[in-house]
Every structure is written in structure tokens, then in C-alpha cells.
Amino acid sequence: MVCFSTMIKPVWALDYAQRNLVESDFSGQDLRDAKFDHANLRSSNFSNVNAEGVRFFAANLESANFEGANLRYADLESARLTRVNFTNAVLEGAFATNTLFKGAIIDGADFTDVLLRPDTEQYLCTIAKGTNPVTGRNTKDTLYCPD
């Protein structure tokens, strides 16, 4: 009897913490559980990525593109999200307290169960519009915006 044994190497999440990745192109990639803590990702492209569970703690994401991205359960705590494009992104369950969203585009974004500061939630309600094509949820409804 011949017996073959192959050792399967574990897959580790990518760690980009504290790196300078300005204008990087991650579009379409599977980045699940990667770490970008304190990274400079200004003007980077994350369109259509699977970033479920990704850590962006205190990352500079100014002018980044997250159009169509899956950001479910991502950690965006203390991240700089000024002028970020979240068009049709799914942020369900993301953690985003103490996060700057000034100038962000959130058309069709799904913020279901996202932890936000009350003032940030109020600001996002002033710019919210559209329905997410993946979840079918209205952006204003996911932010609990008043009518």
C-alpha cells in the first residue's frame, strides 16, 4: 500500500500595517482579513474588492475608491475617509466610530449595523441617496435617517 502525505500550508492574512501604499491598485482582489492598520493608502483603488473583516485602523484612506466593495465587518476605526468613494459598497456590520467621512460619496452604500458616532450619522444622512444593488437596501434606511 502506497500512502502519500502532503502538508497543506496555512494561509495567513496579508499584513500591510504601517506601509506607504499611496495610489496602490487592489481592485477586484480578495483581501479578507488583511491588515492595513496605520497604512497610508491615499488615492488607492479598492473597487470591487472583497475586504470582509479587513482592518483599516487609523489608516489614511483619503480619496480612496471603494466602489462596489464588500466591507462587511471591516474595522474602519479612526480611519481618514475624506473624499472616499463608497458608491454601492456594502459596509454591513463595520466598525467606524471616530472616523472622518467629509466629502465622501455614499450613493447606494449599505450601512446596516455600522457603528457610527451620532454626528457622523447625521452628516451622512444629509448626503445619503440610492439603493444598494447587492442587498437591495436604501442607503438612508440603513443609516436610520429621519424622513
Side-chain angles (χ1 to χ4, degrees):
M1 175 185 299
V2 178
C3 193
F4 292 98
S5 175
T6 57
M7 181 169 210
I8 299 174
K9 295 180 183 178
V11 177
W12 303 104
L14 299 173
D15 191 346
Y16 295 103
Q18 300 181 2
R19 296 196 40 205
N20 184 1
L21 298 165
V22 173
E23 298 180 353
S24 293
D25 186 3
F26 294 97
S27 60
Q29 293 186 33
D30 186 346
L31 299 172
R32 281 178 290 184
D33 298 319
K35 293 174 182 70
F36 290 92
D37 297 350
H38 300 278
N40 186 358
L41 297 156
R42 187 173 32 86
S43 300
S44 290
N45 185 2
F46 289 93
S47 61
N48 301 305
V49 298
N50 184 358
E52 189 167 333
V54 170
R55 289 181 46 97
F56 290 104
F57 180 81
N60 179 5
L61 291 159
E62 182 178 348
S63 300
N65 181 14
F66 283 97
E67 186 170 352
N70 173 11
L71 291 160
R72 286 180 173 99
Y73 311 107
D75 182 354
L76 300 166
E77 174 66 15
S78 299
R80 184 177 185 170
L81 298 171
T82 53
R83 295 187 299 279
V84 169
N85 181 2
F86 282 119
T87 301
N88 298 328
V90 178
L91 294 103
E92 184 175 355
F95 189 69
T97 58
N98 199 30
T99 302
L100 298 173
F101 282 93
K102 296 294 180 191
I105 301 167
I106 62 168
D107 301 355
D110 185 337
F111 285 88
T112 300
D113 298 328
V114 174
L115 295 174
L116 298 165
R117 287 189 345 215
D119 61 322
T120 301
E121 190 173 322
Q122 288 174 350
Y123 167 72
L124 292 176
C125 281
T126 66
I127 62 170
K129 62 182 176 182
T131 301
N132 187 277
V134 175
T135 66
R137 297 180 187 132
N138 182 288
T139 301
K140 283 187 181 260
D141 292 342
T142 66
L143 288 165
Y144 302 107
C145 299
D147 292 332

